[in-house]
């Protein structure tokens, strides 16, 4: 779990933590299909999925991303000094199947001053989601807009 109310200066490149785990259920897939309107048959039609390379339905990539993000929020304290700035390199190298259990390793990989705001910096953390078999099922680089304790010098 991360410390409460950390500022940009408090984060160290290389620091990491791992979230709790959560099992992806049939209900997760159906609810995500309803919310996203993504009823593609490889997510929702078992008979169709049997004819495809994975031979069964797979979870939506965005569902995996959303649950991974939720696991991160549950594992870190609320911090008013941090806001999402964006995501880079979102990848889903392996499928998530109903019944798979996932967790996320979060690691600080970069810190840069913000080009326009002396009061903020940009923190980049890698977020690697793995299943119970240790396979990477999602990877993203999350850019965070983080308040500095002391504004940067010119």
């Amino acid at each position: 779990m991360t410390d409460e109310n950390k500022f940009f200066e408090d984060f160290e490149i290389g620091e990491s933590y791992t979230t709790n785990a959560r099992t992806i259920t049939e209900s997760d897939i159906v609810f995500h299909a309803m919310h996203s309107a993504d009823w593609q048959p490889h997510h929702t039609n078992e008979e169709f999925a049997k004819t495809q390379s994975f031979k069964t339905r797979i979870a939506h990539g965005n569902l995996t991303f959303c649950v991974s993000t939720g696991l991160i929020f549950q594992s870190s304290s609320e911090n008013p000094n941090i806001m999402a700035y964006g995501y880079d390199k979102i990848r889903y190298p392996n499928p998530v199947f109903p019944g798979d259990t996932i967790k996320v390793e979060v690691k600080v990989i970069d810190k840069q001053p913000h080009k326009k705001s002396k009061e903020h910096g940009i923190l980049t953390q890698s977020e690697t989601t793995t299943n119970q078999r240790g396979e990477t099922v999602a990877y993203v680089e999350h850019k965070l807009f983080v308040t500095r304790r002391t504004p940067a010098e010119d």
Side-chain angles (χ1 to χ4, degrees), residues 32 38 42-43 58-68 90-92 94 96 137-138:
H32 189 79
D38 180 353
H42 46 276
H43 304 306
I58 59 175
H60 306 72
N62 285 338
L63 169 60
T64 303
F65 175 77
C66 290
V67 171
S68 298
I90 298 175
R91 300 290 181 268
Y92 308 111
N94 289 294
V96 172
V137 295

Side-chain angles (χ1 to χ4, degrees), residues 10-135:
D10 300 326
F11 290 93
E12 299 291 334
I13 292 176
E15 72 178 77
S16 66
Y17 65 94
T18 301
T19 69
N20 291 325
R22 181 185 182 294
T23 300
I24 301 299
T25 68
E26 169 75 21
S27 295
D28 291 324
I29 294 170
V30 172
F31 282 124
H32 189 79
M34 289 186 333
H35 290 155
S36 66
D38 180 353
W39 290 96
Q40 292 296 315
H42 46 276
H43 304 306
T44 59
N45 182 328
E46 185 64 29
E47 294 307 310
F48 171 83
K50 286 178 183 177
T51 69
Q52 302 303 300
S53 60
F54 299 119
K55 304 299 181 196
T56 190
R57 288 168 301 119
I58 59 175
H60 306 72
N62 285 338
L63 169 60
T64 303
F65 175 77
C66 290
V67 171
S68 298
T69 300
L71 289 169
I72 292 166
F73 288 141
Q74 291 171 4
S75 296
S76 58
S77 59
E78 288 185 23
N79 186 339
N81 298 321
I82 299 175
M83 291 188 289
Y85 192 73
Y87 295 94
D88 291 337
K89 300 181 183 178
I90 298 175
R91 300 290 181 268
Y92 308 111
N94 289 294
V96 172
F97 301 103
D100 277 354
T101 299
I102 63 173
K103 63 183 176 182
V104 187
E105 180 187 9
V106 180
K107 183 176 183 180
V108 176
I109 60 172
D110 192 36
K111 287 174 64 172
Q112 297 293 325
H114 191 275
K115 293 178 182 174
K116 296 180 182 177
S117 172
K118 294 178 186 178
E119 291 82 25
H120 298 89
I122 301 297
L123 182 76
T124 304
Q125 58 188 27
S126 64
E127 299 170 358
T128 304
T129 304
T130 56
N131 63 20
Q132 72 277 10
R133 294 177 295 281
E135 301 165 330

